[in-house]
Amino acid sequence: MTQQTEVQQTVPKLKDHNIWQGGHETNPCAIVLFGATGDLAQRKILPTLAHLIHDHPQPETICIVAFARRPLGDEGWRAMVLESLDKYMAADDKLDDKGKQAFAQRLFYCQSNFDEDAGYQRLGQLLDTLDKEQHTGGNRLFYLATPPDTDAEIIEHLGKAGLAQPPKQNGNGKKSWVRIITEKPFGHDLASARSLNAQIGKVFHEDQIFRIDHYMGKETVQNIVAFRFANSIMEPLWNQKYIDHIQITVAESLGIENRAEYYETSGAIKDIVQNHVMQILSLIAMEAPADFSANDIRDEKVKVLRAICALTPEQVQERTVRGQYVAGEQDGKHVVGYKEEKGVSPQSTTETYVALKLFIENWRWADVPVYIRTGKHLPKRSTEVMVQFKRVPHQLYKPEQMKDLQPNRLILRIQPDEGIDLKIGAKVPGAANDLATIDLNASYKTVFGIELPEAYERLIADCIVGDSTLFIRRDEIEESWRIIDSITDTWKKMDPNTVYPYAAGTWGPEEADKLIQRDGRDWVNP
Ligand code: BG6
């Protein structure tokens, strides 16, 4: 009998990552937050900025200006932000009093409605004052963390107030810059995205515009590029000759979390597929870029999207499945159905789950199906890309020897437990010549021992240094809406009963299983 000794594994503390890119000049700047008192800013953007400034200090000054309606003033705004930092910064990341006070001193408030000309004049004056007194160097980053229907108005006013261009006097004689970050959703269909692009384009040049998709800020999403183009072993196999199919799963265990108003207009396809999934897919499928410049990479990504044809109504019926969660149980707790959520219409046909099959119609990917699924209230939170390879061309083993053998699969674990997993066949020890599947598994945190940067932190730091590689270009947004519109246009005409119910805490409706099983395949659950 083998004696087992239990070894207590202590997890070593992870090392800090670096966030400022070598070779890029860092600059002082004023970040102007629109939607500063809103949920996204308070929960995410401000804690991220506090962490960025505290843990990755720069010699340069960063000031944060709120442009908002409430009569708060600098002091009221500072108190509000400090409260949010206490609430939302991770327990192991909290700032001490000195850190909080130092951050608070960088916060300024400009009270205005979004449609008030005089408010933008006041903002301009405040920014000039900050250049003089805080040495922000005339560099301005406008961050629109606002409901999408206000974006066009804000942009127009910024242009009218002359704020889209750097000031003539910046106090330091260097060239200064103005950039704008826009949050998703960027439009709600192709026409609205085009119109928003046109409106921004009238005021800002494309290289000033940073459209955020926070998935691009995730290390594991960026690693798709490194994995593919820094290794020679995958590239010869990375095509329709060797790959059977690809699955992309974005599973969420949470529901809609008080976001009914937004989610009712969005649904799973616009919330996740149009942006996050399309970004992952374009990195998985793109050709090698000429180099790592922002435009070369984005040129290749957009070519993938262009090669995905719009779905015909018949294809939408065959290749897409919508679902909506009904009451169920998750982690031992009762969960209400989507229609019972606060703010959701009891007749709602919004999909909280979608499964679909797409094809990338080019030489590399001809006839390789890409199965995509995403949903709220699935059994666990997990985002993965699974690439399944074809079986060997000639089988030497007998079926009974291969009972436990799965096809070769490469799994890129985007989150959580970030890492890479390769399933390969191996001989089971013994005389029978039986085969089984074993895992070659690498976890990012274990291998590197480095804390992964938060996606927003990476993206804001890149914007400050002017690197737009991880941001979404105008044509990418429009191409991805073109594909999504072809699906939603048909959904609108389909019987609402084709939004199939699934119990919260399960892997989606049966029809989604049938979608893939019709092709003789199965979903591989994370
Ligand atoms: C957001 C969606 O873009 O992404 C949310 O609006 C979703 O509905 C979130 O929950 C998922 O992000 P992450 O990083 O937790 O996978």
Side-chain angles (χ1 to χ4, degrees), residues 44 184 213-215 218 250-252 254-256 259 262-263 266 271-272 275-276 376 381 383 415 454-456:
K44 199 78 181 177
K184 74 166 266 249
D213 181 318
H214 80 279
Y215 263 58
K218 293 182 192 276
V250 180
E252 296 194 81
L254 292 177
I256 55 159
R259 292 164 77 219
Y262 154 73
Y263 202 83
S266 152
D271 189 42
I272 300 284
N275 34 70
H276 309 326
K376 299 276 186 198
R381 174 175 183 255
T383 298
Q415 67 186 22
E454 216 274 319
Y456 270 91

Side-chain angles (χ1 to χ4, degrees), residues 207-222:
D207 63 16
Q208 293 179 284
I209 308 167
F210 290 67
R211 300 176 190 81
I212 275 200
D213 181 318
H214 80 279
Y215 263 58
M216 289 299 288
K218 293 182 192 276
E219 277 292 322
T220 40
V221 172
Q222 293 156 38

Side-chain angles (χ1 to χ4, degrees), residues 31 33 36 42 45-47 49-50 53 61-66 73-83 85 99-110 126 130 134:
I31 300 177
L33 257 181
Q42 297 291 318
I45 301 170
L46 288 157
L49 285 168
I53 292 170
T61 318
I62 295 176
C63 291
I64 299 154
V65 177
D74 287 350
E75 288 315 318
W77 158 239
R78 287 172 182 167
M80 180 182 192
V81 174
L82 292 186
E83 205 174 295
L85 297 190
K100 282 201 262 186
Q101 286 319 316
F103 185 64
Q105 292 317 304
R106 294 165 181 261
L107 301 171
F108 300 87
Y109 199 77
C110 179
L126 173 58
L130 293 179
Q134 305 286 331

Side-chain angles (χ1 to χ4, degrees), residues 130 170 196 221 301 309 340 347 397 426 444 452 514 523:
L130 293 179
N170 61 15
L196 186 53
V221 172
K301 283 168 65 197
C309 291
E340 287 93 64
Q347 281 80 41
Y397 291 87
Y444 257 45
L452 299 185
K514 291 185 197 148
W523 294 112

Side-chain angles (χ1 to χ4, degrees), residues 278-352:
M278 288 299 170
Q279 288 300 311
I280 294 176
L281 178 57
S282 51
L283 294 174
I284 287 286
M286 74 185 202
E287 298 301 317
D291 72 20
F292 270 148
S293 74
N295 273 335
D296 279 356
I297 293 190
R298 295 184 297 178
D299 283 347
E300 295 306 332
K301 283 168 65 197
V302 79
K303 277 197 230 160
V304 173
L305 299 176
R306 277 199 213 121
I308 301 175
C309 291
L311 276 70
T312 63
E314 294 70 34
Q315 287 168 339
V316 172
Q317 310 222 8
E318 279 161 24
R319 298 184 189 170
T320 71
V321 170
R322 291 177 288 172
Q324 190 186 74
Y325 62 82
V326 294
E329 193 159 300
Q330 191 146 31
D331 302 327
K333 288 200 193 103
H334 177 76
V335 168
V336 297
Y338 180 71
K339 288 192 182 75
E340 287 93 64
E341 297 273 15
K342 198 162 148 248
V344 171
S345 150
Q347 281 80 41
S348 173
T349 56
T350 304
E351 81 288 352
T352 60

Side-chain angles (χ1 to χ4, degrees), residues 459-514:
L459 294 172
I460 294 173
D462 280 7
C463 181
I464 291 174
V465 298
D467 182 346
S468 52
T469 312
L470 300 177
F471 293 82
I472 318 305
R473 210 169 56 185
R474 178 178 184 152
D475 48 355
E476 287 182 79
I477 288 268
E478 294 185 7
E479 283 299 332
S480 105
W481 274 121
R482 176 188 58 77
I483 302 161
I484 301 304
D485 275 10
S486 73
I487 299 173
T488 50
D489 286 352
T490 299
W491 280 357
K492 280 182 213 144
K493 295 178 204 136
M494 280 168 66
D495 180 350
N497 289 323
T498 56
V499 181
Y500 299 102
Y502 64 97
T506 66
W507 280 108
E510 257 175 42
E511 285 69 16
D513 294 339
K514 291 185 197 148

